[in-house]
Amino acid sequence: MSKAQHEEFRDYVAARGPTLLRAAMLLTSDRAEAEDLLQSALAKTYLAWDRINDRAAVDGYVRRAMVNTQISWWRRRKLEVYPTDELPEQPVDDHTRRSELHDALGRALDKLPKRQRLAVMLRYYEDMSEAEIADILGISVGTVKSTVSRAMAKLREDAALEHDFAGAVPAPHPHGDHAGDD
């Protein structure tokens, strides 16, 4: 790999690393494992860097490498849970509410016009800067700001979304932000 390609790869990792780490966290649910997974996928990407002609497809390449690596790790793991006739005393987390909230948010985003939905997804799901979004969508930074602002206002006013999220976010303390100062 040439020095220019090495620098290009380093710049890519610096720019996209946090977003890719969040994707790894979704695959592993553990920060340390996510960091290991991302490092492994980036090592594979580094070795293939000169063969990746479409730089816009690099995120997809890294994500696919993470998925394939995670599947490989799952297959290699020894059985860590042994069957038993006795049930453990530890409660198991119920992820139903989180899944319901995810579905509700997806429905709310689907109600937004396409450009607003894209701007919100790029800003908050992909953690892109306003300048990056402007470049991708071919609009000005000011338009990105106003588009995201309008989209967020619509989401705040969505009665169905408010109903779906009722109880998911703790209510503010009646006497301001100083709940523990009584």
Side-chain angles (χ1 to χ4, degrees):
M1 178 183 291
S2 72
K3 184 175 180 175
Q5 287 176 318
H6 178 78
E7 291 298 318
E8 183 183 17
F9 179 78
R10 196 177 66 147
D11 292 344
Y12 168 77
V13 172
R16 299 299 294 154
T19 300
L20 294 169
L21 181 59
R22 277 194 302 281
M25 284 286 297
L26 293 172
L27 290 169
T28 64
S29 299
D30 178 77
R31 175 125 183 141
E33 283 185 41
E35 289 170 351
D36 290 346
L37 180 61
L38 178 57
Q39 183 175 9
S40 177
L42 288 173
K44 292 174 183 178
T45 305
Y46 181 81
L47 294 174
W49 191 254
D50 56 347
R51 294 188 315 266
I52 302 172
N53 297 324
D54 182 8
R55 293 298 190 233
V58 175
D59 276 5
Y61 185 95
V62 174
R63 286 187 172 113
R64 174 50 53 195
M66 285 193 295
V67 168
N68 290 344
T69 302
Q70 183 67 14
I71 290 170
S72 176
W73 289 354
W74 285 336
R75 287 178 179 157
R76 282 191 211 141
R77 265 193 201 129
K78 292 180 182 177
L79 184 61
E80 294 175 358
V81 178
Y82 298 97
T84 179
D85 290 335
E86 297 177 27
L87 293 175
E89 295 295 324
Q90 299 173 331
V92 177
D93 287 339
D94 182 8
H95 299 287
T96 306
R97 184 69 180 148
R98 184 174 14 165
S99 179
E100 289 170 355
L101 294 174
H102 186 269
D103 291 343
L105 187 55
R107 286 190 306 273
L109 288 170
D110 286 342
K111 293 179 190 176
L112 293 174
K114 183 178 179 180
R115 185 150 97 183
Q116 287 182 357
R117 183 174 54 253
L118 282 172
V120 168
M121 297 290 288
L122 292 173
R123 182 71 180 107
Y124 296 107
Y125 279 76
E126 292 295 324
D127 197 30
M128 290 185 176
S129 70
E130 290 154 345
E132 290 172 316
I133 297 167
D135 186 46
I136 287 172
L137 297 181
I139 57 179
S140 72
V141 172
T143 303
V144 170
K145 290 179 181 183
S146 63
T147 301
V148 170
S149 177
R150 281 191 216 104
M152 295 306 291
K154 282 185 180 183
L155 291 174
R156 281 185 207 100
E157 294 169 0
D158 188 336
L161 187 59
E162 184 177 329
H163 177 268
D164 286 331
F165 280 83
V169 179
H173 191 271
H175 301 293
D177 292 335
H178 308 288
D181 295 345
D182 291 334

